[in-house]
Every structure is written in structure tokens, then in C-alpha cells.
Coordinates of all heavy atoms in Angstrom, one line a residue:
I1 N 0.9 -1.2 0.0 CA 0.0 0.0 0.1 C 0.9 1.3 0.0 O 0.6 2.2 -0.7 CB -0.9 0.0 1.2 CG1 -1.9 -1.3 1.1 CG2 -1.7 1.3 1.3 CD1 -2.6 -1.5 2.4
D2 N 1.9 1.3 0.8 CA 2.8 2.4 1.0 C 4.1 2.0 1.6 O 4.2 1.0 2.2 CB 2.1 3.6 1.7 CG 2.7 4.9 1.4 OD1 3.7 5.0 0.6 OD2 2.1 5.9 1.9
V3 N 5.1 2.8 1.3 CA 6.4 2.7 2.1 C 6.7 4.0 2.7 O 6.8 5.1 1.9 CB 7.5 2.2 1.1 CG1 8.8 2.1 1.9 CG2 7.2 0.9 0.5
L4 N 6.9 4.1 4.0 CA 7.2 5.3 4.6 C 8.7 5.4 5.0 O 9.3 4.4 5.4 CB 6.3 5.4 5.9 CG 4.8 5.4 5.8 CD1 4.2 5.5 7.2 CD2 4.4 6.5 4.9
T5 N 9.2 6.6 4.8 CA 10.6 6.9 5.3 C 10.5 8.3 5.9 O 9.4 8.9 6.0 CB 11.6 6.9 4.1 OG1 11.2 8.1 3.1 CG2 11.5 5.6 3.3
A6 N 11.7 8.8 6.2 CA 11.7 10.2 6.9 C 11.1 11.2 5.9 O 10.8 12.4 6.3 CB 13.1 10.5 7.3
K7 N 11.2 10.9 4.6 CA 10.9 11.9 3.6 C 9.3 12.0 3.4 O 8.9 13.0 3.0 CB 11.5 11.6 2.3 CG 13.0 11.8 2.2 CD 13.7 11.6 0.8 CE 15.2 11.9 0.9 NZ 15.7 11.8 -0.4
N8 N 8.5 11.0 3.7 CA 7.1 11.1 3.5 C 6.3 10.6 4.6 O 5.1 10.5 4.5 CB 6.8 10.2 2.3 CG 7.0 8.8 2.4 OD1 7.7 8.3 3.4 ND2 6.3 7.9 1.7
A9 N 6.9 10.4 5.8 CA 6.1 10.0 7.0 C 5.3 11.2 7.5 O 5.7 12.4 7.3 CB 7.1 9.6 8.1
P10 N 4.1 11.0 8.0 CA 3.3 12.1 8.6 C 4.1 12.9 9.6 O 5.0 12.4 10.3 CB 2.1 11.4 9.2 CG 2.0 10.1 8.4 CD 3.4 9.7 8.1
K11 N 3.7 14.1 9.7 CA 4.4 15.0 10.6 C 4.3 14.6 12.1 O 3.3 14.2 12.5 CB 3.8 16.4 10.4 CG 4.4 17.6 11.2 CD 3.8 18.9 11.1 CE 4.5 19.9 11.9 NZ 3.8 21.3 11.8
Q12 N 5.4 14.8 12.7 CA 5.6 14.5 14.2 C 6.1 15.7 14.9 O 7.0 16.4 14.2 CB 6.3 13.2 14.4 CG 5.6 12.0 13.8 CD 6.7 10.8 13.7 OE1 6.9 10.2 14.8 NE2 7.3 10.7 12.6
D13 N 6.0 15.8 16.2 CA 6.6 16.8 17.0 C 8.0 16.3 17.4 O 8.1 15.3 18.2 CB 5.8 17.2 18.1 CG 6.3 18.4 19.0 OD1 7.5 18.7 18.8 OD2 5.6 18.9 19.7
T14 N 9.0 17.0 17.0 CA 10.4 16.5 17.4 C 11.0 17.4 18.5 O 12.1 17.2 19.0 CB 11.3 16.6 16.2 OG1 11.4 17.9 15.7 CG2 10.9 15.6 15.1
S15 N 10.2 18.4 19.1 CA 10.7 19.3 20.0 C 10.3 18.9 21.5 O 10.9 19.3 22.5 CB 10.3 20.8 19.7 OG 8.8 20.8 19.8
S16 N 9.1 18.2 21.6 CA 8.6 18.1 23.0 C 9.4 16.9 23.6 O 9.8 15.9 23.0 CB 7.1 17.5 22.9 OG 6.7 17.1 24.1
D17 N 9.7 17.1 24.9 CA 10.4 16.1 25.7 C 9.6 14.7 25.8 O 10.1 13.7 26.1 CB 10.7 16.6 27.1 CG 11.8 17.7 27.1 OD1 12.6 17.6 26.1 OD2 11.9 18.5 28.0
D18 N 8.2 14.9 25.7 CA 7.4 13.8 25.9 C 7.2 13.0 24.5 O 6.8 11.9 24.5 CB 6.0 14.2 26.3 CG 6.0 14.7 27.7 OD1 6.8 14.2 28.6 OD2 5.4 15.8 28.0
A19 N 7.6 13.6 23.4 CA 7.4 13.0 22.2 C 8.4 11.9 21.9 O 9.6 11.9 22.3 CB 7.4 14.0 21.1
I20 N 8.0 10.9 21.0 CA 8.9 9.8 20.8 C 8.9 9.6 19.2 O 8.4 8.5 18.8 CB 8.6 8.5 21.5 CG1 7.0 8.3 21.5 CG2 9.2 8.5 22.9 CD1 6.6 7.0 22.3
P21 N 9.2 10.6 18.4 CA 9.0 10.5 17.0 C 9.8 9.3 16.3 O 10.9 9.0 16.8 CB 9.5 11.7 16.5 CG 10.4 12.3 17.5 CD 9.9 11.8 18.8
Q22 N 9.4 8.7 15.3 CA 10.1 7.7 14.4 C 10.1 8.2 13.0 O 9.3 8.9 12.5 CB 9.3 6.4 14.6 CG 9.1 5.9 16.0 CD 10.4 5.5 16.7 OE1 11.3 4.8 16.1 NE2 10.6 5.9 17.9
L23 N 11.1 7.6 12.3 CA 11.3 8.0 10.8 C 11.4 9.5 10.7 O 10.6 10.1 9.8 CB 10.1 7.5 10.1 CG 9.9 5.9 10.1 CD1 8.8 5.5 9.1 CD2 11.1 5.1 9.9
V24 N 12.3 10.1 11.4 CA 12.6 11.6 11.2 C 14.1 11.8 11.0 O 14.9 11.2 11.8 CB 12.1 12.4 12.5 CG1 10.6 12.3 12.5 CG2 12.6 11.8 13.7
G25 N 14.4 12.6 10.0 CA 15.7 12.9 9.8 C 16.7 11.8 9.2 O 16.0 10.6 8.9
D26 N 17.8 12.0 8.9 CA 18.7 11.0 8.3 C 19.7 10.4 9.2 O 20.5 9.6 8.9 CB 19.5 11.6 7.1 CG 20.4 12.7 7.5 OD1 20.5 13.1 8.7 OD2 21.0 13.3 6.6
K27 N 19.6 10.8 10.5 CA 20.6 10.3 11.5 C 20.3 8.8 12.0 O 19.2 8.6 12.3 CB 20.7 11.2 12.7 CG 21.8 10.8 13.7 CD 21.9 11.8 14.8 CE 23.0 11.5 15.9 NZ 23.1 12.5 17.0
V28 N 21.3 8.0 12.0 CA 21.2 6.6 12.5 C 21.9 6.6 13.9 O 23.1 6.8 13.9 CB 21.7 5.5 11.6 CG1 21.6 4.2 12.2 CG2 20.9 5.5 10.3
R29 N 21.2 6.4 14.9 CA 21.8 6.4 16.3 C 22.3 5.0 16.7 O 23.3 4.9 17.4 CB 20.8 7.0 17.3 CG 20.3 8.3 17.0 CD 19.4 8.8 18.1 NE 18.2 7.9 18.3 CZ 17.1 7.9 17.6 NH1 17.0 8.7 16.5 NH2 16.2 7.0 17.8
H30 N 21.6 4.0 16.3 CA 22.0 2.7 16.7 C 21.5 1.6 15.7 O 20.6 1.9 14.9 CB 21.4 2.3 18.1 CG 19.9 2.3 18.2 ND1 19.2 1.3 17.8 CD2 19.0 3.2 18.6 CE1 17.9 1.5 17.9 NE2 17.7 2.7 18.3
Y31 N 22.2 0.5 15.8 CA 21.8 -0.7 15.0 C 20.4 -1.0 15.4 O 20.0 -1.1 16.6 CB 22.8 -1.9 15.3 CG 22.6 -3.1 14.5 CD1 23.4 -3.3 13.4 CD2 21.6 -4.0 14.7 CE1 23.3 -4.5 12.6 CE2 21.4 -5.1 13.9 CZ 22.3 -5.3 12.9 OH 22.1 -6.4 12.1

């Protein structure tokens, strides 16, 4: 149906301490 990546994932809040966004940016933090 669809493939989501950081380029087309729905908008998320990346500034809130309570938020836990996924598929944002190009940084890989861990395996």
C-alpha cells in the first residue's frame, strides 16, 4: 500500500520532551 521513510512520513513533533518520533531525519543512532 505504501512505504514510509523520513521523507514522506506524517508530521511529528520533534521538540517535545514527551514525544517519541520515528522515521525523522537522516541520522542513525544505533543498529
